[in-house]
Amino acid sequence: MKFKTDKQPYKVIHSQKLAGYLMARGFVLVGTEPDRRGNGRNVFLFRKSDELERAVTKYSSSRSQFEWSDVSQCKQPFTDGPARAQSSTPANSSQD
């Protein structure tokens, strides 16, 4: 089904992550269409509303506040994998 986004009250979302964010917050996905820019991607259509605009603004502002310097404050990944793989008992020993 083709949506005539020029004449209908739809908000076109180009980001799959943003579309997921909106759906997780209860906004209903009306449909998808191929992107008119011809890049092989889809766009996501939502009904226009003030609440939707606020959610998009909140998403955009929260993403812009993230600084790469904050990454150092994140939990460090578990890095002692090879040491953990070694067992205190050899793998080929039998336990009677």
Side-chain angles (χ1 to χ4, degrees):
M1 176 180 186
K2 276 277 199 186
F3 293 91
K4 301 208 183 272
T5 55
D6 296 335
K7 297 180 181 180
Q8 297 294 329
Y10 297 119
K11 172 82 172 172
V12 177
I13 302 296
H14 294 272
S15 165
Q16 185 176 4
K17 288 182 181 181
L18 175 55
Y21 172 87
L22 294 171
M23 288 185 284
R25 276 142 189 85
F27 294 95
V28 177
L29 177 68
V30 176
T32 61
E33 286 186 354
D35 193 335
R36 292 182 184 173
R37 297 180 286 189
N39 56 14
R41 296 181 179 197
N42 289 326
V43 294
F44 306 89
L45 305 172
F46 293 87
R47 292 211 185 273
K48 286 184 182 176
S49 70
D50 292 337
E51 295 85 25
L52 180 73
E53 293 299 329
R54 283 192 291 272
V56 170
T57 301
K58 183 176 181 179
Y59 176 84
S60 298
S61 66
S62 68
R63 290 194 36 97
S64 66
Q65 290 176 2
F66 178 75
E67 301 265 341
W68 284 108
S69 60
D70 294 340
V71 172
S72 63
Q73 298 173 4
C74 295
K75 288 185 178 180
Q76 295 297 319
F78 189 70
T79 57
D80 63 344
R84 188 170 168 239
Q86 297 173 353
S87 175
S88 60
T89 58
N92 58 359
S93 71
S94 64
Q95 295 177 351
D96 293 323

